[in-house]
Each structure stands twice: as structure tokens, then as C-alpha cells.
């Protein structure tokens, strides 16, 4: 699962869906033992849970980097390497 960003203890990943593709562009966010999945367009939590502060950080970050996330989603689905996206300092 390619890591595309890491900031403030949050790890953002995307991956190729070989067996049963969702066909919905999305990314995964991990923070400690918490995990959540978010759609890219619109930015929306699909599954899982994050603490409130981290949830808001991920949503704000994703809004700022929505085009890069979508580009990386397309790269991952076509088997090309993903690119790093700048996190929040």
C-alpha cells in the first residue's frame, strides 16, 4: 500500500485494487490504532474512525490536495508509482 503522505502522526495511503475494485476514488488514513477511508471527490469519510482533531486535519489536508490525490488514485489504479504529497507542518 503506497504511502503518499505523512504528517502529525497521520499516514495517508492509496493502493491498487486488483480483485474487487471500488471504482470510487478514495484514500486511507491511519493514526495510531485508528483507521478511516475517505472518498476523494467529494472529500467525505466513508468508513472507520479517527479522533476528532485528526479527522478535521485529514479533511482539511485532503481539500487542499484533492487534485493530487485524484492523480495518485489514477496512477495507483494503472499500476504506476504514486507521488508524495506534502503534509501539514
Amino acid at each position: 500500500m503506497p504511502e503518499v503522505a505523512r504528517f502529525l502522526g497521520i499516514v495517508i495511503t492509496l493502493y491498487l485494487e486488483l480483485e474487487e475494485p471500488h471504482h470510487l476514488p478514495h484514500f486511507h488514513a491511519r493514526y495510531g490504532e485508528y483507521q478511516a477511508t475517505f472518498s476523494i471527490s467529494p472529500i467525505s469519510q466513508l468508513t472507520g474512525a479517527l479522533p476528532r482533531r485528526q479527522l478535521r486535519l485529514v479533511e482539511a489536508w485532503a481539500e487542499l490536495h484533492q487534485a493530487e490525490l485524484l492523480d495518485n488514485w489514477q496512477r495507483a489504479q494503472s499500476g504506476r508509482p504514486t507521488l508524495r504529497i506534502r503534509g501539514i507542518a
Side-chain angles (χ1 to χ4, degrees):
M1 194 176 331
E3 180 180 306
V4 296
R6 180 183 292 256
F7 54 92
L8 304 172
I10 300 166
V11 178
I12 306 294
T13 56
L14 292 160
Y15 59 92
L16 173 62
E17 298 178 332
L18 292 174
E19 295 185 11
E20 292 185 34
H22 295 293
H23 300 291
L24 173 66
H26 67 280
F27 65 93
H28 302 265
R30 261 191 352 239
Y31 179 75
E33 71 272 12
Y34 299 94
Q35 297 183 26
T37 303
F38 296 82
S39 66
I40 294 173
S41 184
I43 303 299
S44 171
Q45 185 177 357
L46 299 171
T47 64
L50 293 173
R52 179 173 287 177
R53 181 175 187 271
Q54 284 71 25
L55 174 64
R56 289 183 177 159
L57 286 169
V58 168
E59 290 171 337
W61 173 85
E63 289 287 340
L64 291 172
H65 298 283
Q66 191 170 21
E68 293 164 279
L69 283 165
L70 190 53
D71 177 58
N72 267 335
W73 167 263
Q74 292 165 345
R75 288 173 159 280
Q77 300 320 300
S78 65
R80 295 181 293 153
T82 57
L83 303 174
R84 294 290 291 180
I85 301 174
R86 195 163 123 190
I88 297 171

